[in-house]
Amino acid sequence: MYDKVWKHNKIAFGGDYNPEQWDEATWEEDMRLFRLAHIDTVTLNVFSWAALQPDENTYCFDRLDKIMNMARDNGLKVVLATATGAHPAWMAHRYPEILRTEFNGMKRKFGGRHNSCPNSLVYRKYSVRLAEKLAERYKDYDNIIAWHISNEYGGECYCENCEKAFRVWLKEKYKTLDELNRVWNTAFWGHTFYDWDEVVLPNLLSEHFEYDRTMFQGISLDYRRFNSDSILECYRMEYEAVKKYTPDIPVTTNLMGFYKALDYQKWAKYMDIVSWDNYPSNQDSPAQIAISHELMRGVGGGRPFLLMEQTPSVTNWQPYNALKRPGVMRLWSYQAVAHGADSVMFFQMRRSIGACEKYHGAIIDHVGNENTRVFREAAALGAELERIGSATLGTRARHDAAILFDWDNWWGIEYSAGPSCLLKYRDEVQNYYTALYEQNIATDIIGAEDDFSEYGVIFAPILYMVKPGVDEKLKTFVENGGTLVTTFFSGYVDEHDLVVTGGYPGKLRELLGIWVEESDALPEGEKNYFTWEGERHDATLLCDLLHLEGAESLAFYEEDFYAGMPVLTRNVYGKGRAYYVAARSDAAFYRKLAAKIAKEEGITPVLDTPKGVEAALRCNEKNEFLFLLNHEKIEQSVALPKDGTNLLTGEAIGKGNQFSLPPYGVAILKMDV
Ligand code: GLA
Ligand code: ZN
């Protein structure tokens, strides 16, 4: 299956190239530099709409033809973009309806990018037409390895078009106004709707008093779904357009990791291959970077993905755009591969001279030649990837544990209006992930619709919204011997953010064997405590006051009026167990809990490594590829589990030998299964 999708014989190396910003003499020089840097893939045409369509009826592909031919003549693979990420100025001038309206009601003029109203028929018509023309024209270029639809889809629009489309979307979903009024609980504050046309978009002009603070969660939640669906429709229309002419070229669009506005679990169903742009800050921990790779692999059902963009050195848009230290670009590139990437690509090949990305890192800097640190590091990595060849392509990342992550739940939790402004879904998910990551326990980030039965343990931090069927799936999972871990603020609402009455955690009550009566939101800095297995741990953020209904308590609060009440519980359910962590705790607690459960489930870490050395596995039927990544500035060594060969050096290494990794060093050991 994957062989059909992947159209390259190695890890693709290259990235966004914008020749439309340069003269042809520069293109020639770029070809020379690409060869020197072992670049074999370029992403073309990302922001060329204005160049390709100078007015409503004229299309002009001469320059793109030249670029496409030049790329082909130079042996380059192409990721061809449909160029619809930014509309031309003439289109905005002539058809103001394509311009977005912001959250505060402000209608935008021409400017910026990712700026088209997703429900504008004009935008849809011309974007699809352009995609179709490109596919028709370049269909026989067998060096195109993927279509890149638009660019980093995102944002939202609150224009009249969108408002009308929202009503249509709602009618389709709820059929009757009675049902709409029910699911939005409009009896509250007398918001009953008697006509579909009375429904308006939830923004600063209506139900919101801040971006994340709404008076009607149900309405805002549906708007988020609607907006994600509207933009997805734009993507799907272009998808269909290019498929008409090139059914065998895989189609993608570059995602952005944990990007809240778009439900990527839904989006990825319509992508032949997932790709994404990785822009961590230098302050991010390796676990914070790794989790996004797991998510992007997860939305694609565990298949390999493309690292479509990263910076070779600096970004321009962070508050402090520190340089990636020597070796870090290579390290983070291999980290992506370790977690499932089959490409290592950058934004951008050549640094622009004007506008807001002129100080964004590039392989070719303003000095214009190969004599830079960044170029040398890129060229060395390019040479290494050539040596690796096809070895790791299509292999699957190992996974034993899973973390459940769900976009609706994310939206629901953070619109919730209480109990605490400190409640952030990603933070809680990260706490569990970091604990697993630091012990090299291979973890997938899965969605509510994924198959749970593949895992020994599922962590579902703050499973606030339990969508239909999810409680049943979790019960079956535990009944059959799995371990579930969930936390405070779980099981409260259904898919409309309507509270499930009859006691928290609602539909999870029986599975967890507890009843949560109240929940205490502690202000920042305030703590309760509990002792578990001889160590004292923090209880912060939200402390549930709960009663046992079949579960046993493993630890108790030590302070305040609920001292002595359970804070960590375990319920035996069928052949499995369901844990409940009633408060946020500290890193030591999460590590201990993850280790204990992994042991109970017979899950072994990929490898025991010193702190800061990451070990991850990708496998196929024949081989295992053990990635060792030293995230520390000091040399570290690990004992190897099996005989193998270091793919990067060709060196054979024996089982049990101490293998030493220099600062930021990497090794990929190829071993037999
Ligand atoms: C995004 C975009 C690129 C570029 C980079 C800069 O990923 O897709 O066009 O703007 O950011 O970091
Ligand atoms: Zn709009």
Side-chain angles (χ1 to χ4, degrees):
M1 236 314 253
Y2 186 71
D3 292 347
K4 288 209 183 110
V5 173
W6 190 239
K7 306 241 173 263
H8 202 353
N9 58 0
K10 63 181 286 292
I11 296 172
F13 186 61
D16 278 37
Y17 179 47
N18 302 310
E20 60 278 356
Q21 295 178 24
W22 305 97
D23 59 23
E24 294 184 24
T26 309
W27 301 357
E28 290 301 331
E29 172 63 357
D30 289 338
M31 294 303 119
R32 182 186 76 82
L33 292 166
F34 290 170
R35 268 193 301 280
L36 272 184
H38 305 268
I39 281 164
D40 52 59
T41 304
V42 285
T43 304
L44 295 175
N45 205 40
V46 181
F47 291 109
S48 314
W49 198 346
L52 299 176
Q53 194 185 358
D55 64 47
E56 186 139 14
N57 302 309
T58 317
Y59 285 86
C60 167
F61 294 100
D62 299 355
R63 242 178 150 224
L64 184 58
D65 287 351
K66 276 193 191 167
I67 295 162
M68 287 294 288
N69 292 338
M70 185 189 64
R72 191 168 56 182
D73 296 346
N74 281 277
L76 292 168
K77 303 283 183 199
V78 169
V79 173
L80 189 56
T82 58
T84 56
H87 51 238
W90 64 258
M91 200 178 284
H93 182 67
R94 181 144 194 194
Y95 299 106
E97 68 147 278
I98 69 168
L99 296 164
R100 286 187 181 179
T101 296
E102 291 199 352
F103 176 70
N104 63 6
M106 181 175 88
K107 175 85 182 167
R108 294 202 64 101
K109 292 188 180 180
F110 175 70
R113 61 170 178 175
H114 308 149
N115 47 2
S116 309
C117 164
N119 287 298
S120 155
L121 296 181
V122 173
Y123 171 69
R124 288 185 175 195
K125 176 170 121 190
Y126 284 115
S127 56
V128 169
R129 185 174 291 173
L130 181 58
E132 193 170 322
K133 279 184 187 291
L134 287 163
E136 187 181 6
R137 192 170 189 93
Y138 300 110
K139 64 179 186 311
D140 296 324
Y141 283 66
D142 58 9
N143 60 329
I144 301 179
I145 59 169
W147 282 107
H148 177 299
I149 306 289
S150 194
N151 189 68
E152 290 195 340
Y153 276 110
E156 58 215 356
C157 181
Y158 296 89
C159 76
E160 276 175 33
N161 264 333
C162 287
E163 198 156 80
K164 285 186 192 136
F166 186 44
R167 293 176 192 138
V168 173
W169 185 92
L170 291 168
K171 247 190 237 176
E172 233 162 74
K173 184 166 180 185
Y174 297 119
K175 312 289 189 262
T176 66
L177 279 169
D178 282 351
E179 181 62 0
L180 184 79
N181 282 311
R182 182 189 75 79
V183 300
W184 286 356
N185 199 38
T186 56
F188 178 75
W189 287 359
H191 276 212
T192 312
F193 295 105
Y194 292 100
D195 189 319
W196 293 97
D197 286 344
E198 292 160 10
V199 173
V200 297
L201 294 175
N203 66 353
L204 215 46
L205 305 177
S206 53
E207 298 293 7
H208 279 251
F209 40 99
E210 278 171 26
Y211 187 72
D212 269 336
R213 299 181 71 198
T214 173
M215 290 171 257
F216 269 81
Q217 281 72 18
I219 304 181
S220 299
L221 193 60
D222 271 336
Y223 172 74
R224 283 232 173 261
R225 292 171 174 144
F226 157 77
N227 180 63
S228 176
D229 283 0
S230 300
I231 302 178
L232 176 58
E233 238 172 83
C234 296
Y235 163 81
R236 290 182 62 192
M237 289 171 78
E238 287 195 41
Y239 179 104
E240 297 302 332
V242 298
K243 281 288 181 186
K244 256 194 231 167
Y245 293 95
T246 58
D248 296 329
I249 299 178
V251 179
T252 191
T253 182
N254 46 342
L255 307 182
M256 296 178 278
F258 284 89
Y259 180 67
K260 195 172 171 184
L262 303 181
D263 179 351
Y264 286 156
Q265 282 158 341
K266 191 165 184 187
W267 273 65
K269 290 184 188 149
Y270 304 98
M271 297 170 69
D272 298 328
I273 186 163
V274 166
S275 66
W276 87 284
D277 301 343
N278 182 31
Y279 289 101
S281 86
N282 283 8
Q283 280 75 47
D284 286 346
S285 70
Q288 282 171 314
I289 309 175
I291 194 173
S292 297
H293 291 305
E294 318 288 31
L295 179 72
M296 295 291 91
R297 188 183 67 248
V299 300
R303 290 173 301 160
F305 59 86
L306 303 181
L307 177 62
M308 188 63 89
E309 292 181 24
Q310 62 173 341
T311 178
S313 52
V314 291
T315 57
N316 63 286
W317 44 265
Q318 299 186 10
Y320 306 98
N321 295 288
L323 299 173
K324 280 186 181 169
R325 274 33 207 169
V328 170
M329 182 271 284
R330 172 174 178 262
L331 175 70
W332 288 359
S333 299
Y334 282 121
Q335 188 186 29
V337 177
H339 291 277
D342 275 354
S343 73
V344 170
M345 292 168 60
F346 301 98
F347 179 89
Q348 54 192 331
M349 293 298 100
R350 185 182 269 277
R351 230 173 199 188
S352 318
I353 57 164
C356 68
E357 288 178 343
K358 61 183 175 300
Y359 303 125
H360 193 290
I363 304 289
I364 306 166
D365 210 328
H366 288 148
V367 68
N369 61 33
E370 63 270 45
N371 303 317
T372 63
R373 172 185 73 90
V374 170
F375 189 94
R376 282 190 295 273
E377 284 193 36
L381 176 59
E384 245 176 22
L385 294 176
E386 250 166 35
R387 282 201 291 281
I388 295 176
S390 65
T392 58
L393 293 181
T395 55
R396 296 293 184 115
R398 178 167 135 188
H399 51 81
D400 298 309
I403 293 180
L404 185 59
F405 186 86
D406 180 79
W407 257 262
D408 290 293
N409 191 41
W410 192 2
W411 296 333
I413 291 166
E414 294 178 16
Y415 273 147
S416 72
S420 167
C421 65
L422 300 176
L423 256 186
K424 295 280 176 254
Y425 188 33
R426 271 193 70 184
D427 291 352
E428 302 314 311
V429 167
Q430 185 73 55
N431 286 340
Y432 284 88
Y433 179 76
T434 301
L436 293 158
Y437 170 91
E438 287 179 349
Q439 301 177 83
N440 295 319
I441 296 172
T443 303
D444 275 354
I445 309 284
I446 60 170
E449 288 181 19
D450 288 320
D451 181 5
F452 294 173
S453 68
E454 288 189 31
Y455 304 94
V457 53
I458 297 177
F459 294 86
I462 347 187
L463 188 52
Y464 167 71
M465 177 182 290
V466 179
K467 296 196 283 193
V470 173
D471 49 325
E472 292 304 327
K473 271 178 78 173
L474 288 173
K475 277 183 194 161
T476 309
F477 166 74
V478 178
E479 231 160 33
N480 293 336
T483 298
L484 170 71
V485 180
T486 188
T487 69
F488 56 89
F489 210 44
S490 287
Y492 276 65
V493 299
D494 69 4
E495 72 277 25
H496 306 295
D497 200 64
L498 292 175
V499 167
V500 177
T501 52
Y504 316 129
K507 292 192 229 155
L508 303 176
R509 187 169 167 186
E510 185 209 339
L511 172 58
L512 293 160
I514 56 166
W515 167 45
V516 175
E517 185 178 349
E518 291 183 279
S519 209
D520 193 19
L522 302 186
E524 202 157 14
E526 280 188 25
K527 288 180 181 178
N528 205 315
Y529 297 92
F530 63 92
T531 299
W532 183 46
E533 304 206 320
E535 274 163 312
R536 199 162 192 239
H537 297 288
D538 294 348
T540 62
L541 186 70
L542 210 57
C543 296
D544 281 345
L545 281 57
L546 66 86
H547 307 278
L548 301 175
E549 292 181 339
E552 61 177 316
S553 182
L554 306 177
F556 303 88
Y557 291 107
E558 291 177 355
E559 295 190 354
D560 218 320
F561 76 96
Y562 43 95
M565 288 185 84
V567 60
L568 173 64
T569 68
R570 181 173 59 193
N571 192 36
V572 175
Y573 191 87
K575 288 190 232 147
R577 301 177 184 86
Y579 284 82
Y580 189 80
V581 185
R584 179 199 272 174
S585 192
D586 49 46
F589 168 77
Y590 293 121
R591 263 202 300 276
K592 204 159 70 177
L593 184 70
K596 183 187 169 73
I597 291 173
K599 207 167 161 207
E600 281 172 1
E601 285 296 329
I603 296 170
T604 49
V606 169
L607 192 69
D608 285 324
T609 56
K611 186 173 171 295
V613 175
E614 176 178 353
L617 266 184
R618 283 183 72 169
C619 325
N620 57 22
E621 303 79 48
K622 287 205 303 251
N623 293 113
E624 286 184 336
F625 298 92
L626 174 63
F627 288 74
L628 297 171
L629 307 153
N630 182 8
H631 292 279
E632 299 289 325
K633 270 186 251 173
I634 48 163
E635 183 170 333
Q636 307 214 65
S637 70
V638 290
L640 295 178
K642 281 188 188 176
D643 291 342
T645 314
N646 185 355
L647 272 190
L648 303 182
T649 59
E651 175 198 3
I653 304 159
K655 179 178 171 180
N657 282 0
Q658 281 294 324
F659 182 78
S660 132
L661 291 156
Y664 301 136
V666 179
I668 307 174
L669 296 170
K670 182 179 171 189
M671 309 174 299
D672 293 335
V673 170

mmCIF file of all heavy atoms in Angstrom, residues 79-102:
data_model
loop_
_atom_site.group_PDB
_atom_site.id
_atom_site.type_symbol
_atom_site.label_atom_id
_atom_site.label_comp_id
_atom_site.label_asym_id
_atom_site.label_seq_id
_atom_site.Cartn_x
_atom_site.Cartn_y
_atom_site.Cartn_z
ATOM 1 N N VAL A 79 7.433 18.492 -4.901
ATOM 2 C CA VAL A 79 6.157 18.536 -4.189
ATOM 3 C C VAL A 79 5.478 19.777 -4.747
ATOM 4 O O VAL A 79 5.954 20.893 -4.541
ATOM 5 C CB VAL A 79 6.375 18.655 -2.668
ATOM 6 C CG1 VAL A 79 5.051 18.869 -1.949
ATOM 7 C CG2 VAL A 79 7.075 17.412 -2.131
ATOM 8 N N LEU A 80 4.414 19.563 -5.505
ATOM 9 C CA LEU A 80 3.839 20.689 -6.226
ATOM 10 C C LEU A 80 2.631 21.265 -5.492
ATOM 11 O O LEU A 80 1.643 20.569 -5.248
ATOM 12 C CB LEU A 80 3.445 20.261 -7.649
ATOM 13 C CG LEU A 80 3.018 21.394 -8.591
ATOM 14 C CD1 LEU A 80 4.078 22.484 -8.709
ATOM 15 C CD2 LEU A 80 2.688 20.841 -9.980
ATOM 16 N N ALA A 81 2.769 22.532 -5.147
ATOM 17 C CA ALA A 81 1.682 23.196 -4.408
ATOM 18 C C ALA A 81 0.660 23.766 -5.384
ATOM 19 O O ALA A 81 0.984 24.087 -6.528
ATOM 20 C CB ALA A 81 2.251 24.304 -3.532
ATOM 21 N N THR A 82 -0.575 23.898 -4.905
ATOM 22 C CA THR A 82 -1.630 24.436 -5.761
ATOM 23 C C THR A 82 -1.719 25.954 -5.651
ATOM 24 O O THR A 82 -2.544 26.573 -6.328
ATOM 25 C CB THR A 82 -2.995 23.809 -5.422
ATOM 26 O OG1 THR A 82 -3.289 24.066 -4.039
ATOM 27 C CG2 THR A 82 -2.987 22.309 -5.675
ATOM 28 N N ALA A 83 -0.903 26.546 -4.806
ATOM 29 C CA ALA A 83 -0.729 28.005 -4.765
ATOM 30 C C ALA A 83 -1.943 28.775 -4.249
ATOM 31 O O ALA A 83 -2.036 29.979 -4.450
ATOM 32 C CB ALA A 83 -0.336 28.534 -6.149
ATOM 33 N N THR A 84 -2.836 28.105 -3.571
ATOM 34 C CA THR A 84 -4.060 28.803 -3.173
ATOM 35 C C THR A 84 -4.041 29.286 -1.712
ATOM 36 O O THR A 84 -5.080 29.636 -1.166
ATOM 37 C CB THR A 84 -5.282 27.895 -3.394
ATOM 38 O OG1 THR A 84 -5.081 26.672 -2.665
ATOM 39 C CG2 THR A 84 -5.461 27.573 -4.860
ATOM 40 N N GLY A 85 -2.860 29.310 -1.120
ATOM 41 C CA GLY A 85 -2.740 29.759 0.273
ATOM 42 C C GLY A 85 -2.850 31.267 0.430
ATOM 43 O O GLY A 85 -3.005 31.772 1.546
ATOM 44 N N ALA A 86 -2.736 32.001 -0.680
ATOM 45 C CA ALA A 86 -2.892 33.470 -0.623
ATOM 46 C C ALA A 86 -3.469 33.920 -1.957
ATOM 47 O O ALA A 86 -2.895 33.636 -3.005
ATOM 48 C CB ALA A 86 -1.548 34.141 -0.369
ATOM 49 N N HIS A 87 -4.613 34.611 -1.913
ATOM 50 C CA HIS A 87 -5.259 35.000 -3.171
ATOM 51 C C HIS A 87 -4.629 36.271 -3.751
ATOM 52 O O HIS A 87 -4.032 37.064 -3.015
ATOM 53 C CB HIS A 87 -6.778 35.184 -2.973
ATOM 54 C CG HIS A 87 -7.130 36.080 -1.829
ATOM 55 N ND1 HIS A 87 -7.920 35.679 -0.772
ATOM 56 C CD2 HIS A 87 -6.782 37.364 -1.553
ATOM 57 C CE1 HIS A 87 -8.049 36.676 0.080
ATOM 58 N NE2 HIS A 87 -7.376 37.703 -0.368
ATOM 59 N N PRO A 88 -4.787 36.460 -5.071
ATOM 60 C CA PRO A 88 -4.216 37.660 -5.706
ATOM 61 C C PRO A 88 -4.973 38.929 -5.288
ATOM 62 O O PRO A 88 -6.178 38.880 -4.983
ATOM 63 C CB PRO A 88 -4.412 37.418 -7.203
ATOM 64 C CG PRO A 88 -4.900 36.030 -7.369
ATOM 65 C CD PRO A 88 -5.426 35.561 -6.061
ATOM 66 N N ALA A 89 -4.264 40.058 -5.345
ATOM 67 C CA ALA A 89 -4.859 41.345 -4.950
ATOM 68 C C ALA A 89 -6.060 41.695 -5.834
ATOM 69 O O ALA A 89 -7.085 42.180 -5.340
ATOM 70 C CB ALA A 89 -3.808 42.449 -5.023
ATOM 71 N N TRP A 90 -5.941 41.413 -7.135
ATOM 72 C CA TRP A 90 -7.060 41.790 -8.022
ATOM 73 C C TRP A 90 -8.347 41.074 -7.626
ATOM 74 O O TRP A 90 -9.446 41.602 -7.764
ATOM 75 C CB TRP A 90 -6.719 41.542 -9.499
ATOM 76 C CG TRP A 90 -6.495 40.089 -9.881
ATOM 77 C CD1 TRP A 90 -5.307 39.476 -10.067
ATOM 78 C CD2 TRP A 90 -7.513 39.098 -10.116
ATOM 79 N NE1 TRP A 90 -5.491 38.154 -10.390
ATOM 80 C CE2 TRP A 90 -6.838 37.900 -10.435
ATOM 81 C CE3 TRP A 90 -8.904 39.094 -10.077
ATOM 82 C CZ2 TRP A 90 -7.519 36.707 -10.702
ATOM 83 C CZ3 TRP A 90 -9.576 37.906 -10.351
ATOM 84 C CH2 TRP A 90 -8.876 36.731 -10.658
ATOM 85 N N MET A 91 -8.204 39.874 -7.112
ATOM 86 C CA MET A 91 -9.391 39.083 -6.763
ATOM 87 C C MET A 91 -10.096 39.696 -5.538
ATOM 88 O O MET A 91 -11.323 39.801 -5.481
ATOM 89 C CB MET A 91 -8.979 37.638 -6.479
ATOM 90 C CG MET A 91 -10.130 36.649 -6.582
ATOM 91 S SD MET A 91 -9.593 34.945 -6.285
ATOM 92 C CE MET A 91 -8.778 34.545 -7.802
ATOM 93 N N ALA A 92 -9.278 40.135 -4.600
ATOM 94 C CA ALA A 92 -9.841 40.761 -3.401
ATOM 95 C C ALA A 92 -10.509 42.094 -3.755
ATOM 96 O O ALA A 92 -11.564 42.450 -3.224
ATOM 97 C CB ALA A 92 -8.733 40.988 -2.382
ATOM 98 N N HIS A 93 -9.871 42.794 -4.665
ATOM 99 C CA HIS A 93 -10.387 44.100 -5.073
ATOM 100 C C HIS A 93 -11.730 43.936 -5.795
ATOM 101 O O HIS A 93 -12.695 44.640 -5.535
ATOM 102 C CB HIS A 93 -9.359 44.745 -6.005
ATOM 103 C CG HIS A 93 -9.737 46.112 -6.453
ATOM 104 N ND1 HIS A 93 -9.805 47.181 -5.589
ATOM 105 C CD2 HIS A 93 -10.074 46.590 -7.677
ATOM 106 C CE1 HIS A 93 -10.170 48.255 -6.259
ATOM 107 N NE2 HIS A 93 -10.355 47.930 -7.533
ATOM 108 N N ARG A 94 -11.765 42.952 -6.664
ATOM 109 C CA ARG A 94 -12.965 42.753 -7.473
ATOM 110 C C ARG A 94 -14.083 42.032 -6.717
ATOM 111 O O ARG A 94 -15.255 42.290 -6.931
ATOM 112 C CB ARG A 94 -12.548 41.939 -8.699
ATOM 113 C CG ARG A 94 -13.659 41.673 -9.632
ATOM 114 C CD ARG A 94 -13.157 41.700 -11.042
ATOM 115 N NE ARG A 94 -14.271 41.758 -11.955
ATOM 116 C CZ ARG A 94 -14.170 41.525 -13.240
ATOM 117 N NH1 ARG A 94 -12.981 41.246 -13.746
ATOM 118 N NH2 ARG A 94 -15.225 41.575 -14.000
ATOM 119 N N TYR A 95 -13.675 41.106 -5.861
ATOM 120 C CA TYR A 95 -14.666 40.298 -5.125
ATOM 121 C C TYR A 95 -14.404 40.369 -3.625
ATOM 122 O O TYR A 95 -13.869 39.418 -3.029
ATOM 123 C CB TYR A 95 -14.587 38.831 -5.558
ATOM 124 C CG TYR A 95 -14.863 38.592 -7.011
ATOM 125 C CD1 TYR A 95 -13.827 38.286 -7.883
ATOM 126 C CD2 TYR A 95 -16.166 38.654 -7.504
ATOM 127 C CE1 TYR A 95 -14.082 38.054 -9.233
ATOM 128 C CE2 TYR A 95 -16.430 38.425 -8.849
ATOM 129 C CZ TYR A 95 -15.389 38.130 -9.705
ATOM 130 O OH TYR A 95 -15.647 37.898 -11.023
ATOM 131 N N PRO A 96 -14.781 41.463 -2.996
ATOM 132 C CA PRO A 96 -14.490 41.598 -1.549
ATOM 133 C C PRO A 96 -15.047 40.434 -0.728
ATOM 134 O O PRO A 96 -14.595 40.194 0.391
ATOM 135 C CB PRO A 96 -15.173 42.907 -1.162
ATOM 136 C CG PRO A 96 -15.403 43.645 -2.447
ATOM 137 C CD PRO A 96 -15.479 42.632 -3.544
ATOM 138 N N GLU A 97 -15.986 39.701 -1.275
ATOM 139 C CA GLU A 97 -16.529 38.566 -0.491
ATOM 140 C C GLU A 97 -15.484 37.508 -0.172
ATOM 141 O O GLU A 97 -15.677 36.705 0.735
ATOM 142 C CB GLU A 97 -17.698 37.906 -1.228
ATOM 143 C CG GLU A 97 -17.289 37.191 -2.505
ATOM 144 C CD GLU A 97 -18.125 35.947 -2.799
ATOM 145 O OE1 GLU A 97 -17.828 34.866 -2.228
ATOM 146 O OE2 GLU A 97 -19.029 36.052 -3.608
ATOM 147 N N ILE A 98 -14.381 37.476 -0.901
ATOM 148 C CA ILE A 98 -13.372 36.450 -0.557
ATOM 149 C C ILE A 98 -12.562 36.842 0.684
ATOM 150 O O ILE A 98 -11.817 36.025 1.220
ATOM 151 C CB ILE A 98 -12.403 36.129 -1.718
ATOM 152 C CG1 ILE A 98 -11.462 37.301 -2.003
ATOM 153 C CG2 ILE A 98 -13.142 35.706 -2.972
ATOM 154 C CD1 ILE A 98 -10.336 36.879 -2.926
ATOM 155 N N LEU A 99 -12.711 38.097 1.125
ATOM 156 C CA LEU A 99 -11.949 38.533 2.302
ATOM 157 C C LEU A 99 -12.617 38.054 3.588
ATOM 158 O O LEU A 99 -13.839 38.005 3.684
ATOM 159 C CB LEU A 99 -11.853 40.059 2.309
ATOM 160 C CG LEU A 99 -11.062 40.629 1.127
ATOM 161 C CD1 LEU A 99 -11.329 42.120 0.968
ATOM 162 C CD2 LEU A 99 -9.567 40.371 1.333
ATOM 163 N N ARG A 100 -11.799 37.747 4.540
ATOM 164 C CA ARG A 100 -12.339 37.247 5.807
ATOM 165 C C ARG A 100 -12.820 38.366 6.720
ATOM 166 O O ARG A 100 -12.348 39.495 6.628
ATOM 167 C CB ARG A 100 -11.263 36.450 6.565
ATOM 168 C CG ARG A 100 -11.016 35.098 5.952
ATOM 169 C CD ARG A 100 -10.081 34.289 6.817
ATOM 170 N NE ARG A 100 -9.848 32.989 6.185
ATOM 171 C CZ ARG A 100 -9.058 32.053 6.687
ATOM 172 N NH1 ARG A 100 -8.405 32.272 7.819
ATOM 173 N NH2 ARG A 100 -8.910 30.903 6.077
ATOM 174 N N THR A 101 -13.718 37.984 7.619
ATOM 175 C CA THR A 101 -14.117 38.871 8.710
ATOM 176 C C THR A 101 -13.569 38.265 9.996
ATOM 177 O O THR A 101 -13.699 37.061 10.227
ATOM 178 C CB THR A 101 -15.651 38.981 8.774
ATOM 179 O OG1 THR A 101 -16.098 39.608 7.566
ATOM 180 C CG2 THR A 101 -16.102 39.818 9.961
ATOM 181 N N GLU A 102 -12.957 39.097 10.798
ATOM 182 C CA GLU A 102 -12.294 38.599 12.004
ATOM 183 C C GLU A 102 -13.267 38.366 13.156
ATOM 184 O O GLU A 102 -14.418 38.777 13.115
ATOM 185 C CB GLU A 102 -11.216 39.587 12.440
ATOM 186 C CG GLU A 102 -10.090 39.570 11.450
ATOM 187 C CD GLU A 102 -8.809 40.146 12.005
ATOM 188 O OE1 GLU A 102 -8.819 40.705 13.112
ATOM 189 O OE2 GLU A 102 -7.804 40.022 11.299
#
